[in-house]
Amino acid sequence: MIRLFDFIFSLFGILFLWPIGVLLYIIGLFDTGKPIFAQERVGYKKKPFKLYKFRTMSVSAKQVATHLAEKNDITRFGAFLRKSKLDELPQLVNVLIGDMSLVGPRPNLFNQKELIEERDKRGVYNNLPGITGLSQINEIDMSTPKKLAEMDAKMLQNLSTASYFHYIFSTIGGKGQGDRVN
């Protein structure tokens, strides 16, 4: 049932929000010259997939987990995108094609060994990664791998249609601020 919701909501999200996406893309061209950021992430069953986002950091920024990035790498427009969570908009394509769900553990990088180990122990990779979830609305980020993996596992064990909608509406309502930057 959740995959059906993911498909429908991402399809309608893309159809209704494409004008905003085009506007953000154009502004992003002036901001960094490369408004779309694609990065290989750990997906379902630990298979790699390309995650799409609007670029919030300079093109020269190191490709590291957000909590390891430098604050001065974030552009002014990027700061707005992060605060408004609009940087996540391109991930609706990831949800539509089935690489992600709207709700699930945030997909990590392959170089985040400690987090991979903690999530592996708890079976987190047996589920699709997501745009939001219990960890995100409680502001638990990838800087605390064990705590994050425990929260992800708890969310997945108790995931229901009701909690799926709760996480989505909590995120839309402004709960959670995403990964912290140094």
Side-chain angles (χ1 to χ4, degrees):
M1 181 61 87
I2 287 177
R3 176 64 192 136
L4 179 62
F5 288 138
D6 281 343
F7 182 82
I8 291 168
F9 295 147
S10 62
L11 179 64
F12 281 105
I14 291 167
L15 291 174
F16 288 113
L17 298 173
W18 73 265
I20 294 169
V22 169
L23 178 64
L24 296 175
Y25 182 87
I26 292 168
I27 296 169
L29 283 172
F30 291 101
D31 186 47
T32 63
K34 294 185 176 183
I36 298 292
F37 176 72
Q39 187 178 53
E40 190 172 83
R41 298 284 181 107
V42 181
Y44 175 69
K45 301 284 186 189
K46 289 176 37 180
K47 290 186 171 60
F49 75 100
K50 286 279 188 207
L51 174 109
Y52 300 103
K53 293 180 84 163
F54 281 119
R55 185 177 299 278
T56 60
M57 295 187 186
S58 66
V59 177
S60 61
K62 292 181 195 171
Q63 289 206 17
V64 295
T66 301
H67 68 279
L68 299 174
E70 297 295 325
K71 197 170 203 141
N72 60 0
D73 284 334
I74 299 173
T75 67
R76 286 179 64 201
F77 181 59
F80 162 75
L81 289 173
R82 283 172 176 257
K83 188 167 180 68
S84 64
K85 300 176 187 168
L86 289 170
D87 61 321
E88 312 280 351
L89 203 55
Q91 289 177 52
L92 290 175
V93 172
N94 289 112
V95 175
L96 185 67
I97 63 177
D99 286 337
M100 292 178 69
S101 174
L102 290 174
V103 173
R106 289 296 297 153
N108 55 279
L109 299 166
F110 278 94
N111 65 2
Q112 292 176 280
K113 302 295 184 197
E114 187 180 351
L115 180 56
I116 290 172
E117 185 180 308
E118 294 293 336
R119 282 179 164 177
D120 241 351
K121 284 184 205 173
R122 294 165 179 81
V124 171
Y125 294 113
N126 294 329
N127 299 274
L128 285 174
I131 295 175
T132 193
L134 184 59
S135 297
Q136 287 69 41
I137 65 171
N138 286 297
E139 297 186 18
I140 298 168
D141 68 12
M142 294 187 184
S143 65
T144 56
K146 184 176 182 186
K147 186 176 181 181
L148 177 62
E150 289 170 349
M151 190 66 76
D152 290 340
K154 178 181 174 183
M155 173 190 65
L156 293 168
Q157 284 176 334
N158 300 309
L159 190 61
S160 65
T161 303
S163 61
Y164 172 89
F165 284 103
H166 169 73
Y167 299 136
I168 291 170
F169 290 126
S170 292
T171 301
I172 291 169
K175 207 153 188 231
Q177 296 303 313
D179 289 341
R180 290 167 205 71
V181 178
N182 287 330

